[in-house]
Amino acid sequence: MGRLVKTFTYESLNQTVRLINGISALMLAILPGKTSILEGIHGWELRPTFRGPRFPRWMENGVSSFNQFIHEFPVDSDMSSSVEYSSGDEDSDGNIHPASPLSQSSRFSRANSFSKFDRRRTHWIRCIFSWILFPVKFLLGLPLYLFCTSFSRRSTIPANTERFQPSPLHSTKRVHALKDHFIQRTTDRRRGVIEDLHLAFEIFIEGIFDIVHKAAHSVLSPSETFKALFGWFSSHNSGPEDTARDFDATVSAATLGEDDPTPTETNASFHQSLNTDARTCQDVITELGYPYEAIPVVTADGYVLLLERIPRRDSRKVVYFQHGILDSSMGWVSNGVVGSPAFAAFDQGYDVFLGNFRGLVSREHVDKNISSRQYWDYSINEHGTEDIPAMLEKIHEVKVSELKSNQPAGEEEEINDDQPYKLCAVCHSLGGAAILMYVITRRIEEKPHRLSRLILLSPAGFHDDSNFVFTVVEYIFLRLAPIMAPLVPGLYIPTRFFRMLLNKLARDFHNYPAVGGLVQTLMSYVVGGDSSNWIGVIGLPHYNMNDMPGLSLLVALHLAQMKWARKFIMFDYGSEAANMEVYGSPEPFDLGEYYGLIDVPVDLVAGRKDKVICPTMVRKHYKLMRDSGVEVSYDEFEYAHLDFTFSHREELLAYVMSRLRLVEPPRRQQFRQNSVRLRKKNAQVIAN
């Protein structure tokens, strides 16, 4: 009966999902422009790529031994895994839907349902006979029970040692349960909403029938019921610690990339059934075998930022990656070993730093009681004049200290007199606008910016050639921002439940291609037809139930001001008096007029399919820089906006690596000559 109810419920839910998927396919068929939007989004996953036997062009020289092992590993070796995946479901049209590895727990349950049914039938027959023979059993069993009780009290063996010693059967069950738990964890990191509903219905139905079965068993077999009650009362005084042992297990685990890879005991709780992917950038880096370091950075206005690192402590070649809007450092490592810019740079011998802007839901700040309105009170100005300076100065401090400690005693003074490394910056979207603002403002303030080259991927700054949707949003923000700012200071998902729901829905969008294609198309319409893999980006673990990057309303307002002014301006505070107090002028700075202050080479890259920041806007950066005498280059690729970070693009990685190699790292002989010149110059100044 229980199996029949479970099958009926399972099939009903399955047919409902197929109906939704079919309606989505019908709607998708009539939507215009879906072909260009959906091209190239299939097969996107956050995992290492095992495609092709040869190295990408950027890995042919200086490839790490770990990446060489990955490429030499046979592509079909994972097919011999002992973990068996369930076959896909086939609908009435013959279409096979890919099955999720997580569904193997349900498959085990269904495979054992026949044996469970046979055992239950045998158990019912035994209960009937035990009820008929209950008087004889009671009369013969009572003296034996009293004798055993008195004998156990006289025994010298403590009763506690027997109670805490698990039976072989119980230990076997615990081992199998733990094994199934970690098989599920290693084959699939999260379930979708549909899979959660399947699992919840199955558990609920099994629980109901288990209650009915136990109730019938207690009526038909009272002797065992009395024995169970007596055992429960006798062990009731032992406390809740014993029962808690059944829900937690201790396992040995180690993480690749840690300094001490010795397995340590870790508590695995079986109460954690939400099954969402909450990996951090650290988890992704260390799982792929790379070293990792987290460096907390505090800005001048009290924001606590996370500067992440894939360290090469003795390297004089340093690269700094900065993400764009509603993004994090996860974007630079999300394509695994082969397709990620951060790993590519590390394999080429660079010390890699991954910057993170302010703007997390967790609201990291030195003031633990800061309000939401106070925390989200910042614009792009603060990204360029507070966040980036704090992180680059921290990089300078770390590199000088490490390289100084690696120098002989006689050369320590040289390190103090010059910058012993070359720092390049690779920035995407909003990160590109912020790094330009940083360089210009530092030059105006006559402070060193530490940079040797800028590689800007579809940089923000100019937005006057945007689509109709952005024009409408800009109009709304400019008119309603004074009203919205006190009420909605930041744009993000506020509760853990809805962040978890988004994380799980992203899994469903992958499992049901028609639904995912429909959502992808609608999201692309919102951003003007950009064909980026928006569904794949939502599925990244930095959008999880614990934390996610948010968007300050003032940042959105700042972008709207740039579009309205048709200039790359700093934030307009709304009045001449406020602007005069900040800038010393009634109008905010037009950064395009100060491009002549940029004293490092700049490489600009645009995407021909980018509808968020059109190639014409990147060319506007290029024209102003070229006219201002900046050493600048410009290139275009057939990319959409997010393809620069979230897609495996070998030609882009080759281009970025080739531009980075144009910056030669400083040599010790150069340090010695520079330090000698500086000492002579200082001596002449003192003499005069």
Side-chain angles (χ1 to χ4, degrees):
M1 183 64 182
R3 180 171 173 268
L4 178 62
V5 174
K6 283 198 297 183
T7 303
F8 175 78
T9 306
Y10 179 84
E11 290 299 326
S12 299
L13 183 59
N14 206 16
Q15 293 299 329
T16 303
V17 172
R18 290 178 180 176
L19 177 63
I20 296 174
N21 198 54
I23 295 175
S24 301
L26 180 62
M27 296 178 61
L28 189 62
I30 63 177
L31 290 176
K34 60 182 179 299
T35 303
S36 60
I37 292 175
L38 297 178
E39 63 178 355
I41 72 166
H42 300 290
W44 187 95
E45 291 179 316
L46 179 63
R47 61 181 60 182
T49 305
F50 301 98
R51 301 176 184 173
R54 68 181 184 86
F55 294 115
R57 292 194 300 270
W58 53 266
M59 289 177 61
E60 291 176 356
N61 297 318
V63 63
S64 69
S65 59
F66 179 78
N67 282 338
Q68 186 173 2
F69 168 76
I70 288 295
H71 275 270
E72 292 176 354
F73 196 80
V75 175
D76 58 349
S77 62
D78 56 347
M79 299 302 292
S80 61
S81 174
S82 60
V83 179
E84 182 181 356
Y85 286 73
S86 60
S87 59
D89 298 328
E90 184 173 355
D91 57 17
S92 57
D93 298 331
N95 298 323
I96 298 177
H97 301 282
S100 170
L102 183 69
S103 60
Q104 77 170 13
S105 59
S106 301
R107 179 177 55 81
F108 289 155
S109 176
R110 292 194 296 271
N112 295 331
S113 59
F114 292 102
S115 59
K116 289 181 180 179
F117 178 74
D118 294 337
R119 289 196 299 269
R120 289 178 179 178
R121 182 174 61 182
T122 305
H123 187 67
W124 276 99
I125 296 174
R126 188 177 62 182
C127 290
I128 294 174
F129 277 99
S130 63
W131 176 258
I132 297 174
L133 299 176
F134 171 71
V136 179
K137 184 178 179 180
F138 178 76
L139 293 176
L140 296 178
L142 184 60
L144 180 62
Y145 177 77
L146 294 175
F147 174 77
C148 292
T149 304
S150 61
F151 179 78
S152 62
R153 289 178 179 176
R154 296 171 186 173
S155 176
T156 57
I157 301 176
N160 291 337
T161 58
E162 294 185 3
R163 188 174 70 249
F164 285 111
Q165 189 71 22
S167 64
L169 179 61
H170 181 69
S171 300
T172 303
K173 290 181 179 179
R174 290 284 302 281
V175 169
H176 283 296
L178 189 62
K179 180 180 178 182
D180 291 342
H181 174 73
F182 282 101
I183 285 177
Q184 175 258 316
R185 291 281 300 195
T186 54
T187 55
D188 193 15
R189 292 190 175 272
R190 70 182 187 275
R191 296 186 297 264
V193 175
I194 304 301
E195 290 174 303
D196 273 343
L197 289 176
H198 281 162
L199 184 62
F201 280 132
E202 186 172 343
I203 293 175
F204 176 75
I205 293 171
E206 285 188 354
I208 293 297
F209 277 91
D210 187 56
I211 293 174
V212 174
H213 172 264
K214 289 182 178 180
H217 178 70
S218 63
V219 174
L220 298 177
S221 183
S223 61
E224 295 186 10
T225 303
F226 293 149
K227 186 183 297 185
L229 290 174
F230 183 80
W232 183 78
F233 281 114
S234 63
S235 62
H236 184 67
N237 295 331
S238 61
E241 292 82 2
D242 300 336
T243 58
R245 296 171 180 264
D246 294 335
F247 297 95
D248 295 313
T250 301
V251 296
S252 296
T255 303
L256 287 172
E258 291 182 346
D259 295 335
D260 184 10
T262 306
T264 56
E265 289 189 347
T266 305
N267 290 326
S269 175
F270 292 94
H271 288 293
Q272 299 174 354
S273 59
L274 295 177
N275 189 246
T276 60
D277 191 355
R279 284 178 294 169
T280 62
C281 187
Q282 174 183 358
D283 297 327
V284 175
I285 292 173
T286 55
E287 283 176 3
L288 295 176
Y290 287 86
Y292 175 85
E293 181 181 353
I295 305 174
V297 177
V298 180
T299 65
D301 52 353
Y303 286 80
V304 180
L305 311 178
L306 178 61
L307 179 63
E308 300 178 279
R309 184 186 186 190
I310 310 177
R312 284 189 184 271
R313 305 186 191 282
D314 58 344
S315 177
R316 299 179 184 273
K317 302 186 298 181
V318 184
V319 59
Y320 167 76
F321 290 93
Q322 184 55 61
H323 63 77
I325 196 169
L326 286 173
D327 196 5
S328 73
S329 56
M330 181 72 74
W332 303 110
V333 298
S334 61
N335 291 300
V337 173
V338 174
S340 300
F343 296 140
F346 180 84
D347 291 332
Q348 292 295 318
Y350 287 86
D351 193 356
V352 178
F353 288 85
L354 308 173
N356 287 280
F357 281 143
R358 65 183 71 188
L360 293 175
V361 175
S362 55
R363 300 209 304 249
E364 296 293 334
H365 197 274
V366 293
D367 182 6
K368 301 302 180 182
N369 298 320
I370 188 172
S371 65
S372 177
R373 181 178 178 181
Q374 292 173 324
Y375 179 84
W376 296 102
D377 185 21
Y378 63 86
S379 65
I380 304 177
N381 281 19
E382 282 67 32
H383 288 325
T385 61
E386 298 289 349
D387 295 351
I388 292 181
M391 287 186 283
L392 294 189
E393 287 303 312
K394 176 60 72 171
I395 292 174
H396 180 71
E397 176 186 340
V398 169
K399 289 303 297 181
V400 168
S401 175
E402 290 177 348
L403 293 175
K404 180 179 178 180
S405 63
N406 293 332
Q407 297 296 318
E411 298 183 10
E412 289 183 2
E413 187 177 356
E414 299 176 10
I415 299 296
N416 294 329
D417 291 336
D418 204 345
Q419 181 171 314
Y421 61 92
K422 292 293 185 180
L423 174 61
C424 299
V426 181
C427 306
H428 176 240
S429 189
L430 184 67
I435 201 76
L436 288 173
M437 184 182 296
Y438 162 75
V439 172
I440 293 172
T441 54
R442 297 289 282 194
R443 292 277 290 149
I444 292 175
E445 297 170 356
E446 298 182 349
K447 295 180 180 179
H449 55 66
R450 314 291 183 190
L451 294 167
S452 300
R453 194 176 195 92
L454 301 179
I455 303 174
L456 308 182
L457 310 177
S458 189
F462 295 106
H463 303 277
D464 44 287
D465 186 15
S466 56
N467 56 72
F468 174 75
V469 175
F470 285 137
T471 302
V472 173
V473 172
E474 168 243 328
Y475 181 84
I476 294 175
F477 268 105
L478 290 176
R479 300 298 181 273
L480 300 181
I483 302 174
M484 295 173 59
L487 302 176
V488 189
L491 305 177
Y492 57 92
I493 302 176
T495 64
R496 298 179 77 249
F497 172 77
F498 286 106
R499 292 197 293 269
M500 177 194 69
L501 186 63
L502 177 66
N503 191 267
K504 288 180 172 293
L505 284 175
R507 179 66 183 176
D508 288 325
F509 295 153
H510 282 281
N511 289 343
Y512 302 96
V515 178
L518 179 62
V519 175
Q520 165 74 17
T521 304
L522 295 177
M523 292 184 66
S524 298
Y525 286 165
V526 172
V527 292
D530 189 89
S531 60
S532 300
N533 187 5
W534 302 100
I535 299 301
V537 172
I538 292 176
L540 277 175
H542 67 260
Y543 289 98
N544 60 72
M545 64 182 298
N546 298 321
D547 207 354
M548 66 169 289
L551 174 64
S552 169
L553 186 73
L554 296 185
V555 171
L557 177 61
H558 195 172
L559 293 172
Q561 291 175 354
M562 291 178 181
K563 176 175 170 53
W564 179 260
R566 305 176 72 89
K567 298 177 182 178
F568 183 16
I569 61 173
M570 300 188 75
F571 186 74
D572 188 347
Y573 289 92
S575 66
E576 293 185 358
N579 289 333
M580 184 67 69
E581 181 180 356
V582 176
Y583 306 116
S585 65
E587 298 292 334
F589 287 155
D590 180 3
L591 297 175
E593 295 180 355
Y594 293 88
Y595 273 0
L597 296 177
I598 300 176
D599 58 348
V600 294
V602 180
D603 300 301
L604 298 173
V605 183
R608 297 189 185 97
K609 298 180 180 179
D610 193 339
K611 305 300 182 182
V612 178
I613 300 176
C614 300
T616 54
M617 297 295 95
V618 183
R619 285 197 293 269
K620 193 170 183 178
H621 283 287
Y622 171 72
K623 185 177 183 302
L624 287 174
M625 289 183 185
R626 185 191 58 189
D627 295 342
S628 300
V630 179
E631 182 183 345
V632 60
S633 68
Y634 175 80
D635 209 338
E636 288 186 5
F637 294 94
E638 289 290 334
Y639 298 162
H641 190 65
L642 299 184
D643 292 343
F644 290 102
T645 54
F646 295 111
S647 294
H648 179 184
R649 305 288 182 172
E650 181 181 336
E651 56 182 349
L652 177 65
L653 292 178
Y655 174 82
V656 172
M657 293 301 108
S658 66
R659 308 315 289 182
L660 289 176
R661 284 195 291 268
L662 294 177
V663 179
E664 292 291 336
R667 300 177 181 178
R668 294 183 180 179
Q669 182 66 27
Q670 179 181 352
F671 287 150
R672 188 173 293 109
Q673 295 174 356
N674 291 340
S675 62
V676 170
R677 283 197 298 267
L678 287 172
R679 282 195 290 269
K680 289 182 178 179
K681 183 177 180 180
N682 292 335
Q684 292 175 358
V685 171
I686 294 174
N688 294 333

